Amino acid sequence: MVRLSADADRSRWVPVTGSFGLRGRRARKRAIRMLLTQANATMGATGRPGSGMAAWAMSQAAPALMRKAAGRVLVWVWKDDPELLVVMAQVQQATPQLRAARAMMPIEYDDTETFRGTYLGAGEKLVLPLPPARPDGSTAPPFATYTWDTGAQFVTVTAVCSDRERFGTVLGAVDDLARSLRIIDDLTVGETPGILRLDPS
């Protein structure tokens, strides 16, 4: 099964995925609260913080959802301020439907630059510190996305920041995290587990 791995600097990042202790639970709750707050603002509820009860409920469900994702989704929060920055990496099968959806994205998403990962090679990076206003006047939080097309899969990293002024100061760390991402694939090596058979040359 295809899954993701990354070398996240523990002095900067708290992993949400697979973190079931007290620190992981607190990090999940604060990250979810930040995302809920941003979602509320997007829907026109500016100034209404993310519901504490909703954040708690979602943080309780997150471990099971992450476990079900089986390494196809990884999430981190900024260690010094979990409500400032949330980063999610995921790998998806490159279906025709997903390719069509990507091709129909708004024109703002065409303004990408080349970004090279240590293991995934050349990909694309898009930074939107000032996302365009929506028809209702609401604005999305600043974000950055990184994308690699391996042919069989799309690997994407999305970083969402709650503070426009601080977005630029943490982007370098997001670059480092995205650059360390790699795909791990389980391979069947033969009829007998643990034995790799090589045909005679």
Side-chain angles (χ1 to χ4, degrees):
M1 178 183 293
V2 174
R3 59 189 186 277
L4 294 173
S5 180
D7 302 319
D9 184 348
R10 292 301 182 100
S11 68
R12 290 179 168 178
W13 302 103
V14 175
V16 174
T17 313
S19 185
F20 304 109
L22 185 61
R23 169 175 285 189
R25 187 161 57 247
R26 287 176 176 171
R28 285 196 304 273
K29 185 176 178 181
R30 294 182 68 182
I32 290 169
R33 183 185 297 128
M34 185 272 273
L35 294 174
L36 286 174
T37 300
Q38 298 300 332
N40 287 338
T42 297
M43 292 183 290
T46 306
R48 184 178 69 189
S51 166
M53 180 59 71
W56 177 85
M58 293 178 69
S59 71
Q60 299 306 302
L65 295 174
M66 293 296 183
R67 193 181 299 115
K68 187 176 181 180
R72 297 187 301 274
V73 177
L74 302 176
V75 181
W76 301 268
V77 294
W78 192 242
K79 184 175 183 179
D80 291 340
D81 186 356
E83 293 185 50
L84 172 68
L85 182 64
V86 179
V87 178
M88 181 177 73
Q90 62 180 329
V91 57
Q92 298 172 286
Q93 184 179 356
T95 63
Q97 294 82 3
L98 184 56
R99 289 189 181 279
R102 290 181 56 80
M104 292 187 294
M105 295 177 76
I107 192 170
E108 292 85 4
Y109 287 79
D110 293 337
D111 191 19
T112 61
E113 59 185 83
T114 300
F115 182 84
R116 181 165 292 278
T118 302
Y119 305 100
L120 295 175
E124 295 181 340
K125 173 183 174 182
L126 172 69
V127 179
L128 285 180
L130 295 171
R134 295 185 173 89
D136 63 358
S138 63
T139 57
F143 68 92
T145 63
Y146 307 73
T147 306
W148 289 267
D149 183 352
T150 70
Q153 298 98 14
F154 281 116
V155 178
T156 58
V157 177
T158 304
V160 180
C161 184
S162 62
D163 189 332
R164 294 179 188 275
E165 294 182 359
R166 297 175 63 187
F167 181 54
T169 66
V170 296
L171 194 56
V174 178
D175 284 351
D176 293 340
L177 179 60
R179 197 172 285 116
S180 74
L181 202 67
R182 57 188 175 274
I183 291 178
I184 299 174
D185 197 357
D186 295 331
L187 299 176
T188 302
V189 296
E191 297 175 2
T192 304
I195 297 176
L196 176 63
R197 292 181 177 177
L198 298 177
D199 293 333
S201 58

